[in-house]
Amino acid sequence: MSDYLDSLNDIQRKAVTDIEGPVLVVAGPGSGKTRVLTYRIAYLIQQGVNPRNILALTFTNKAAREMKARIEKVVGNAANQVWAGTFHSIFARLLRVDAGLLGFPSNFTIYDSDDAKSLIASIVKDLGLDKTTYAANNILSRISTAKSQIITAEAYAANNAFVEQDRISSIPFFAEIYKRYTIRLKKAGAMDFDDLLFHLFFLLKNHPEVLEKYRRKFTYILVDEFQDTNYLQYSIIKKLVRYEGGKNNICVVGDDAQSIYAFRGATIENILDFERDFPMLKTYKLEQNYRSTDAIVQAANEIIQNNRKQIKKTIWTDRKEDQGIQVIRALADNEEAKRVVDSILEQKNRNHLRNSEIAILYRTNAQSRIFEEYLRRYNITYRVYGGMSFYQRKEIKDLLSYFKICVNQNEDESIQRIINFPRRGIGDATIEGLRKIAIDNDVSIWNVLQSDIPQVKGKKAIVDFTKMIEVFIAKSKELNAYDLAMMITRQSGVLDEYKKENSIDSMARVENINALLDGIKEFVDNDEVSGDDELPTDKSLATYLQTIMLLTDADKESPDNDFVTLMSVHSAKGLEFKSVFVTGLEEKLFPSWMSFEVPDGIEEERRLFYVAITRAESFLTLSYANSRYRFGKLTYCEPSRFLEELSITKSELQALPREAGSARSSISGSFKPVKMLEKKNLIVDGVDFKASPVEMIKEGTRVLHLKFGEGLVKKVEGGAGNKVATIYFKNVDDPERRIMLKFAKLQVLG
């Protein structure tokens, strides 16, 4: 046969050449999924199938482009005639042909999320409803969920259970908003993104002649990443494929073990129950992994076997070069970050890895902060994938602007950013007027605010804002950085602004704000002396800002684009790296605390962990911390249950250092089941802890530290107000620590 078929293994070749009837290709990580999908289309064309009769659905435009490029290498220009694209782009093309049947113009407008939210906000205003209770982002998300379940506005309003749930949720007018939103879209000749699928379903359902037309046109249908489809997408696919006299020529490719988008509406049941819908199904399992070493593949198999809902398979590899799996066990989250970055330096030096071959993965984007800080300190360039640097995120810049104004009232840019955030009714024209007065009089905007400003729209709001900032400035002289930051965060309304949206997006912003506050608390609580003895003179917000601004200013791009990649595990799906660090492996972090509250939530978190570890080609490092700051408190952390599920023997776990020395352990060789990770009481219970007076801390004194545990004071030096104690802590790596006593919290023992 053709040369390209010779590059396939036996199972891949069968999945490519078995072109009649329904086919499920279960593609494990690194098993050549894309190759099989594209070669199958090329093979169809070579067998005489008209490329215009082939429909290939993907989830990204990039995947569609890559698919066509690969097909073109085999069959030439015929590849461009294949209907290959995302669900939304393909279905929009189909809708434009027959939109008139639905009462829409063929040139209907497509509303993006901002357009849709703007329309919802106007409807909420028309109904005289509270815009906080009926936040546009939240309402749009609920409408999207309803459409993905094929629930029309009329059906929603007629469902007593839905109406009662809305009443309990204090949004009794949701059904009315949904109805008006639907009417207003149609009146405007517009569809939102969900409508491109939603309206196509009803076009096919209510117009048999249209359905028949497309059934005859698309004689072969292929779907990539099938495990990520939702109920609506699959319902459309079934309509196009299943019909009397049809051959059901559908091929879906995916991996149930990588189904991680339930929060977007994806349902794993689509792939698990595919055989029920197509009884004549032929299934091919691509189980050979070409990406990862044997240790990584074994770990992936052992993790996923704990899920009840799955298509059984055993992934294997020929890559026997075994680097082992590294486990970093850190005392606290900042130590975890330091050790991860230390390991990156070691891998770069010992294994000659480029930055671009390394990725740090985490469960939530808020975790990026501490890794960013240590990467900057070590002068390692990085990029935050699928997002932006922690300190460049809108919510962080908003809050930092409030902080900056308390320290430096002449910071005009910060004032302009926050004077109407959260919204106070101070319009852009008013802000521009204030700016012009400041320029004309060669003073800062703050000076203008404190003067007797002329009567302008929103004057009362301006006066209230000025008084609030004056209170913050006064408090900055008596409060430490954390207490002042907490006061500003609460009284400015920034935190409440994001909380009230109650959406996935806003929850992530709240997490980021809490991460910033935790970083400030850590700054205040840190009593260690830096190696160069450049000691902070205080724990004020001004000193904190100086520290953090130095870090953010150092965030420069590398000219050769050689970045370490930081990303959430969700963003990492489909990517691969020579070395992967999966961090924050603690209960209620990974798995997420939210997964405890939903059915099958832990199983989805386990699939997410499976995705994380299978991104690694040669080096896999798993890390967790015994403690981390959460909501301003140093809290003890339980190791993730997923670590328990790896077959690391109990003796190997116990070999992880409990005394001074490296906190890393290379784990390789034979694997045996293990019961439970043993807890290590390195963190002192803060409830029973009582700090002793500084005068009691002397050479030879045994002390207890909240973070480092029990220690022995070896030396005390310095003047009365700047005494520094050198203390040996027996239970930590780098046991000798220098502590600034005026900031220290030490309890004298015995």
Side-chain angles (χ1 to χ4, degrees), residues 19-20 44 49 53-56 218-222 247 249:
I19 59 176
E20 297 300 321
L44 283 169
V49 176
N53 296 139
I54 301 172
L55 172 62
F218 299 126
T219 54
Y220 289 86
I221 296 177
L222 302 93
K247 296 181 180 179
N249 289 332

Side-chain angles (χ1 to χ4, degrees), residues 64-65 132 179 430 554 576:
R65 286 194 301 269
T132 301
K179 183 181 82 172
T430 300
E576 56 189 56

Side-chain angles (χ1 to χ4, degrees), residues 121 184 217 222 302 334 371-372 472 496 514 530 540 584 686 688:
R184 291 275 292 273
K217 178 173 180 58
L222 302 93
E302 290 171 357
N334 63 337
F371 294 106
E372 290 187 59
F472 295 160
D496 288 341
N514 284 325
S530 60
S540 69
D688 298 329

Side-chain angles (χ1 to χ4, degrees), residues 436-499:
K436 191 173 186 307
I437 294 172
I439 292 172
D440 291 345
N441 291 275
D442 195 24
V443 295
S444 69
I445 294 177
W446 178 252
N447 292 140
V448 176
L449 295 179
Q450 289 197 303
S451 66
D452 185 16
I453 60 173
Q455 190 65 39
V456 294
K457 188 175 182 181
K459 182 172 181 177
K460 183 181 183 304
I462 292 173
V463 172
D464 290 344
F465 170 78
T466 305
K467 287 180 179 177
M468 177 179 68
I469 298 298
E470 286 173 340
V471 171
F472 295 160
I473 293 168
K475 288 292 183 181
S476 70
K477 296 174 174 58
E478 56 186 79
L479 298 178
N480 65 36
Y482 178 72
D483 291 339
L484 181 59
M486 283 297 296
M487 178 185 178
I488 293 170
T489 303
R490 288 170 176 156
Q491 294 188 15
S492 67
V494 170
L495 190 60
D496 288 341
E497 179 72 13
Y498 291 120
K499 277 184 175 179

Side-chain angles (χ1 to χ4, degrees), residues 150-413:
I150 319 180
I151 301 169
T152 65
E154 293 77 12
Y156 191 99
N159 188 302
N160 291 332
F162 293 157
V163 172
E164 176 61 16
Q165 183 58 50
D166 288 344
R167 187 190 64 77
I168 294 171
S169 301
S170 300
I171 50 170
F173 289 96
F174 171 77
E176 179 63 22
I177 296 171
Y178 185 11
K179 183 181 82 172
R180 293 195 181 201
Y181 177 72
T182 302
I183 293 169
R184 291 275 292 273
L185 278 173
K186 193 165 188 178
K187 185 177 179 182
M191 297 186 193
D192 64 20
F193 284 132
D194 294 307
D195 285 335
L196 299 177
L197 281 66
F198 189 67
H199 287 315
L200 181 67
F201 174 83
F202 284 104
L203 176 67
L204 301 178
K205 178 177 184 288
N206 298 327
H207 298 275
E209 72 284 2
V210 176
L211 176 59
E212 184 64 21
K213 174 176 66 175
Y214 289 122
R215 280 175 170 174
R216 293 188 180 280
K217 178 173 180 58
F218 299 126
T219 54
Y220 289 86
I221 296 177
L222 302 93
V223 185
D224 191 15
E225 301 287 8
F226 184 63
Q227 77 281 347
D228 294 335
T229 54
N230 62 26
Y231 178 74
L232 174 55
Q233 288 163 330
Y234 187 34
S235 296
I236 294 171
I237 291 166
K238 285 190 289 188
K239 279 195 171 298
L240 290 171
V241 174
R242 294 172 61 185
Y243 62 101
E244 192 68 30
K247 296 181 180 179
N248 295 345
N249 289 332
I250 181 170
C251 174
V252 300
V253 182
D255 183 6
D256 60 294
Q258 297 185 63
S259 178
I260 60 173
Y261 294 125
F263 68 95
R264 293 182 187 168
T267 172
I268 192 174
E269 277 69 25
N270 287 353
I271 191 168
L272 294 178
D273 298 337
F274 192 62
E275 186 171 7
R276 180 194 62 195
D277 294 325
F278 297 94
M280 303 301 291
L281 181 71
K282 287 164 283 187
T283 300
Y284 297 101
K285 298 179 182 180
L286 308 184
E287 296 176 301
Q288 183 174 0
N289 181 298
Y290 293 93
R291 175 189 300 155
S292 307
T293 63
D294 190 53
I296 295 169
V297 169
Q298 281 191 51
N301 283 333
E302 290 171 357
I303 286 295
I304 206 63
Q305 72 180 1
N306 292 283
N307 271 10
R308 294 176 299 103
K309 291 184 175 183
Q310 62 170 297
I311 298 171
K312 290 290 184 181
K313 54 187 174 297
T314 302
I315 308 301
W316 61 277
T317 183
D318 281 334
R319 290 193 60 191
K320 301 300 181 184
E321 70 274 23
D322 201 349
Q323 310 295 338
I325 297 173
Q326 302 258 302
V327 175
I328 294 178
R329 176 192 195 125
L331 189 66
D333 51 352
N334 63 337
E335 186 177 14
E336 177 193 27
K338 182 181 184 301
R339 292 178 185 277
V340 165
V341 178
D342 282 340
S343 293
I344 288 174
L345 281 173
E346 182 181 339
Q347 289 182 358
K348 283 163 60 70
N349 293 329
R350 178 178 295 178
N351 305 111
H352 309 293
L353 296 186
R354 289 171 54 81
N355 290 335
S356 57
E357 295 177 309
I358 303 169
I360 299 174
L361 307 184
Y362 34 73
R363 179 62 182 83
T364 67
N365 284 315
Q367 290 169 254
S368 77
R369 176 191 64 84
I370 192 69
F371 294 106
E372 290 187 59
E373 290 183 12
Y374 276 95
L375 287 166
R376 287 175 184 140
R377 290 179 191 180
Y378 283 60
N379 200 29
I380 298 175
T381 54
Y382 70 89
R383 65 172 180 172
V384 180
Y385 183 95
M388 58 183 67
S389 172
F390 182 84
Y391 294 102
Q392 294 302 312
R393 291 168 184 158
K394 179 187 181 302
E395 60 276 15
I396 301 304
K397 295 189 80 169
D398 289 337
L399 209 45
L400 287 178
S401 291
Y402 273 98
F403 296 168
K404 288 177 186 176
I405 290 302
C406 293
V407 173
N408 175 15
Q409 290 79 55
N410 294 323
E411 241 264 52
D412 283 357
E413 290 301 316

Side-chain angles (χ1 to χ4, degrees), residues 424-609:
R424 300 181 175 89
I426 304 172
D428 291 343
T430 300
I431 297 171
E432 179 58 26
L434 294 171
R435 191 181 74 86
K436 191 173 186 307
I437 294 172
I439 292 172
D440 291 345
N441 291 275
D442 195 24
V443 295
S444 69
I445 294 177
W446 178 252
N447 292 140
V448 176
L449 295 179
Q450 289 197 303
S451 66
D452 185 16
I453 60 173
Q455 190 65 39
V456 294
K457 188 175 182 181
K459 182 172 181 177
K460 183 181 183 304
I462 292 173
V463 172
D464 290 344
F465 170 78
T466 305
K467 287 180 179 177
M468 177 179 68
I469 298 298
E470 286 173 340
V471 171
F472 295 160
I473 293 168
K475 288 292 183 181
S476 70
K477 296 174 174 58
E478 56 186 79
L479 298 178
N480 65 36
Y482 178 72
D483 291 339
L484 181 59
M486 283 297 296
M487 178 185 178
I488 293 170
T489 303
R490 288 170 176 156
Q491 294 188 15
S492 67
V494 170
L495 190 60
D496 288 341
E497 179 72 13
Y498 291 120
K499 277 184 175 179
K500 71 187 181 186
E501 285 187 26
N502 195 30
S503 65
I504 292 173
D505 214 28
S506 64
M507 285 173 66
R509 293 184 187 275
V510 170
E511 281 184 350
N512 290 335
I513 288 172
N514 284 325
L516 177 68
L517 294 171
D518 287 342
I520 299 173
K521 187 67 164 76
E522 187 177 347
F523 162 80
V524 169
D525 287 352
N526 184 20
D527 48 21
E528 282 196 85
V529 176
S530 60
D532 55 12
D533 285 348
E534 291 180 2
L535 305 177
T537 55
D538 55 49
K539 298 290 184 177
S540 69
L541 193 59
T543 304
Y544 170 78
L545 285 174
Q546 288 174 19
T547 305
I548 214 65
M549 288 305 122
L550 287 173
L551 290 174
T552 55
D553 285 347
D555 189 17
K556 306 297 183 185
E557 291 194 356
S558 169
D560 59 357
N561 292 324
D562 187 26
F563 301 94
V564 169
T565 299
L566 277 69
M567 60 169 60
S568 70
V569 181
H570 280 103
S571 298
K573 187 168 176 289
L575 303 176
E576 56 189 56
F577 300 88
K578 268 276 178 59
S579 174
V580 169
F581 291 80
V582 185
T583 63
L585 284 165
E586 299 139 32
E587 287 290 291
K588 298 186 179 179
L589 183 56
F590 199 176
S592 164
W593 63 270
M594 290 184 289
S595 66
F596 291 49
E597 301 176 357
V598 295
D600 300 323
I602 293 297
E603 293 217 348
E604 173 133 345
E605 290 288 305
R606 188 175 285 111
R607 293 194 294 269
L608 194 58
F609 183 52

